[in-house]
Amino acid sequence: MVDTDIKSYVIIAISRVYVSAFTNFIIRYQKSWRAVRYNFGLCALLALSYVCRSYHERSVKKEAEMFRIGDYVAHYKEGVCEVVNIGKIDMGSSDKEYYTLKPVYDAAGTVYTPVDNKREQIRQLITKEEAENLIKEMSEIDTIGVTNEKQREAMYKNALLHNQCREWVSLIKTSYGRNKERIQAGKKTINIDERYMSSAEKFLYGELAVVMEMPRDKVSGYVKEHLDTERE
């Protein structure tokens, strides 16, 4: 009980000291109070200006990152698609906006993906220059190093859905090399290699064909010729 009273007296004493100090501060600097308010207002205006500028910069960046109708994009499951519409679609009460995509190599298909692209389902196509460099650098791209056969399909799927041309090349080189070795040894090819290589080729050759403005079968022939030369 005594300890509690002592603590109470200490708290009251400290509080009085703080109140007294604050009162003295106000009295002493009362003449400068207008200046204090002026500086505070100036700081508030500067802070507001910074917030507005940051918001504008983010808005400009977001607008620059958005795709427009007529753009071509790479979809992680459908390959090259054209953006044919942007806006809300009849999917419940959601206010979210979507890109309506038309796959280039599937005229009957339609794909919807959110404009915010948080899951990175679509990306810009590589440029023609990047495509030419990619083909030149194919011999330098590593194959997928699979140390555990039980993990092979998971690694193939991961490389496929990353939606990146270099990873598709790596997947194609891995499966193509394994298939060639098995055929030369008089063995059958493995379904998992055939399946994932086919998907990777579809995505890669489709994108290269669009950006290089050439038929997809010509791209396919060139890449396979390049891989054959490399393996010899």
Side-chain angles (χ1 to χ4, degrees):
M1 186 71 175
V2 175
D3 292 341
T4 305
D5 291 338
I6 292 174
K7 290 180 180 178
S8 299
Y9 287 134
V10 171
I11 293 172
I12 293 171
I14 293 174
S15 300
R16 287 177 177 176
V17 170
Y18 276 109
V19 170
S20 177
F22 181 73
T23 303
N24 290 334
F25 173 82
I26 295 298
I27 294 172
R28 183 176 179 182
Y29 295 99
Q30 189 172 13
K31 295 180 180 180
S32 303
W33 192 246
R34 290 183 180 178
V36 172
R37 287 190 296 176
Y38 172 79
N39 290 332
F40 178 80
L42 182 60
C43 290
L45 287 174
L46 290 174
L48 180 61
S49 175
Y50 175 78
V51 171
C52 291
R53 185 177 64 183
S54 299
Y55 177 79
H56 174 70
E57 290 175 351
R58 288 197 299 270
S59 298
V60 170
K61 182 179 180 181
K62 183 178 181 181
E63 183 178 351
E65 291 175 347
M66 287 182 62
F67 299 106
R68 295 176 173 81
I69 294 176
D71 286 348
Y72 288 89
V73 298
H75 187 274
Y76 80 117
K77 282 187 176 180
E78 300 297 333
V80 180
C81 298
E82 181 183 2
V83 179
V84 296
N85 193 33
I86 303 173
K88 299 176 184 178
I89 57 177
D90 187 14
M91 292 182 64
S93 59
S94 175
D95 291 330
K96 186 179 292 187
E97 291 193 330
Y98 288 80
Y99 293 116
T100 301
L101 310 176
K102 281 290 184 182
V104 170
Y105 299 104
D106 180 11
T110 301
V111 185
Y112 301 100
T113 189
V115 169
D116 59 31
N117 198 29
K118 289 182 179 179
R119 293 173 58 190
E120 298 183 353
Q121 295 180 347
I122 57 176
R123 62 165 172 80
Q124 286 183 324
L125 300 184
I126 61 175
T127 64
K128 184 177 181 180
E129 181 180 358
E130 289 171 336
E132 292 171 346
N133 289 335
L134 178 69
I135 294 174
K136 292 177 183 177
E137 296 168 1
M138 279 186 177
S139 61
E140 302 172 9
I141 298 177
D142 294 330
T143 56
I144 299 175
V146 180
T147 56
N148 186 343
E149 283 299 318
K150 293 181 179 179
Q151 298 176 354
R152 181 174 294 278
E153 182 167 10
M155 295 178 73
Y156 280 9
K157 185 175 182 179
N158 187 54
L160 184 68
L161 297 182
H162 264 182
N163 199 19
Q164 297 296 324
C165 292
R166 294 184 75 87
E167 294 199 48
W168 294 335
V169 172
S170 182
L171 174 53
I172 292 169
K173 288 180 66 174
T174 302
S175 297
Y176 186 78
R178 277 166 51 87
N179 284 346
K180 188 172 183 180
E181 289 175 359
R182 292 186 66 85
I183 291 173
Q184 290 176 342
K187 300 178 180 179
K188 292 183 179 181
T189 58
I190 300 176
N191 178 264
I192 185 174
D193 286 299
E194 290 285 352
R195 183 156 42 91
Y196 280 94
M197 182 173 68
S198 176
S199 296
E201 286 177 336
K202 181 183 73 172
F203 292 153
L204 178 66
Y205 301 160
E207 184 163 352
L208 293 178
V210 170
V211 299
M212 298 181 73
E213 300 178 344
M214 58 191 300
R216 186 164 54 167
D217 58 347
K218 186 175 181 180
V219 173
S220 171
Y222 178 83
V223 173
K224 288 182 178 179
E225 180 182 346
H226 181 87
L227 292 175
D228 279 330
T229 302
E230 180 184 338
R231 298 289 297 185
E232 290 176 356

